[in-house]
Amino acid sequence: MAPRSFWKGYLKLSLVTCPVAMSPAISAEDKVRFRTLNVKTGNPVVSRYVDAVTGKAVNEDDEVKGYPRGEDDYVMLEDEEIEAVALESTRTIDIESFVPRESIEWIWYDSPHYLVPNDTVGEEAFSVIREAMAATGTVGISRLVLYRRERAVMLEPRGKGIVLWTLRYGDEVRDDKDYFAGLKDAKPESKALSLVKTLIKERTKDWDPKMADDPVQDRLLDIIAAKKKGRKRPAKAKAPPPTSGNVVNIMDALRKSIKAEGKGR
């Protein structure tokens, strides 16, 4: 059964509008989470804001946003002032423009959400927008308030629905030239390149979601289960042997790797 939607509103393209519902495409509900406890009493510990200078607790009504303009000097902004610059509508995904799908690099993608029509009357309008994007190889660009912040979003057709990706802010994505510009434009030897291609071919397989499993999560659950039953925690996993810091011949290393791959199979 599909999870309940956490956002309901409208998808709008010019004069075409349809009601839609949205749900996060990812979930962390099954992750192991911990509470901080007082070891002496076993009671949960709660956090409170305190004045950094006086050390006294601050009432919620006295909390205000501040922007630093100097050392220990801030510009204070009320909630009303911050809300005044937000979108007029927080319930309409108004598609402002379309761009070629391949023109947005993956590094801009933030969080995915599933978007579906919210009633049978709007299904036709929803499907027309979805299929038109699929046919033209484009994605829609809009803006939306999610998680209390205005975000640029990308709408991508996927099967019978649409995936809405929140996009990272422009000042969040660093320019790769700052990191890659100093790298040498070295051309690998043809023999080494051929051996690496062989190694890649040996290790190529179909994608399986299990490849992204969390082994730490599984080990934590084993420890928790053991403690619930009053047993000692499971033995600690052995650490992999340390790698040698010696410089090795790349060709010898590749030949040994391919030989080991063959034995493994």
Side-chain angles (χ1 to χ4, degrees):
M1 185 175 66
R4 295 175 60 183
S5 58
F6 86 114
W7 184 95
K8 292 181 180 180
Y10 296 90
L11 177 63
K12 183 175 183 291
L13 174 60
S14 188
L15 300 179
V16 179
T17 304
C18 64
V20 291
M22 181 165 52
S23 300
I26 56 178
S27 172
E29 290 182 358
D30 295 332
K31 285 292 183 183
V32 173
R33 297 183 182 277
F34 298 103
R35 289 286 303 273
T36 301
L37 307 178
N38 182 339
V39 69
K40 295 180 179 179
T41 65
N43 298 327
V45 174
V46 297
S47 59
R48 297 183 64 183
Y49 282 108
V50 298
D51 190 297
V53 177
T54 67
K56 295 181 178 179
V58 180
N59 293 326
E60 187 175 349
D61 293 339
D62 295 329
E63 296 172 10
V64 66
K65 299 292 190 298
Y67 181 83
R69 61 182 174 187
E71 187 175 356
D72 297 327
D73 186 18
Y74 300 87
V75 177
M76 294 187 182
L77 294 175
E78 301 290 341
D79 289 342
E80 294 78 9
E81 295 175 301
I82 297 175
E83 292 171 359
V85 300
L87 285 175
E88 292 183 5
S89 174
T90 61
R91 290 293 167 185
T92 301
I93 306 170
D94 191 353
I95 304 180
E96 302 166 354
S97 57
F98 296 89
V99 300
R101 168 66 182 80
E102 65 276 4
S103 66
I104 303 182
E105 295 183 277
W106 63 267
I107 200 169
W108 289 94
Y109 297 179
D110 186 19
S111 297
H113 303 75
Y114 293 137
L115 196 67
V116 298
N118 199 29
D119 65 21
T120 55
V121 176
E123 287 183 2
E124 183 179 2
F126 181 91
S127 63
V128 166
I129 295 173
R130 180 197 65 218
E131 291 303 314
M133 288 193 294
T136 56
T138 59
V139 292
I141 303 296
S142 183
R143 302 194 73 83
L144 183 64
V145 174
L146 279 178
Y147 312 110
R148 302 182 66 180
R149 296 194 69 180
E150 181 179 329
R151 311 294 298 260
V153 298
M154 180 190 85
L155 290 89
E156 177 185 19
R158 180 183 176 90
K160 297 180 180 179
I162 291 175
V163 175
L164 181 145
W165 282 90
T166 56
L167 299 177
R168 301 187 190 279
Y169 295 103
D171 56 2
E172 289 182 333
V173 179
R174 295 176 175 176
D175 192 340
D176 58 15
K177 294 184 180 63
D178 296 336
Y179 302 88
F180 301 156
L183 298 178
K184 296 179 180 178
D185 189 19
K187 298 294 183 182
E189 293 183 11
S190 58
K191 290 183 178 179
L193 188 60
S194 177
L195 287 174
V196 173
K197 287 180 178 180
T198 301
L199 195 56
I200 289 175
K201 185 177 180 180
E202 288 288 332
R203 294 197 172 197
T204 298
K205 58 182 69 174
D206 292 333
W207 161 254
D208 187 334
K210 291 182 179 179
M211 293 178 181
D213 280 351
D214 184 355
V216 174
Q217 167 99 350
D218 295 337
R219 289 196 287 268
L220 281 173
L221 290 173
D222 289 341
I223 293 173
I224 293 169
K227 281 184 168 287
K228 281 182 178 179
K229 296 180 179 179
R231 298 199 305 263
K232 293 182 179 180
R233 66 180 185 181
K236 186 177 180 181
K238 292 183 178 180
T243 56
S244 172
N246 298 331
V247 177
V248 297
N249 181 287
I250 184 67
M251 294 297 293
D252 290 343
L254 287 172
R255 291 191 184 100
K256 290 179 180 178
S257 296
I258 292 173
K259 187 176 180 180
E261 289 291 318
K263 288 182 178 179
R265 289 182 179 276

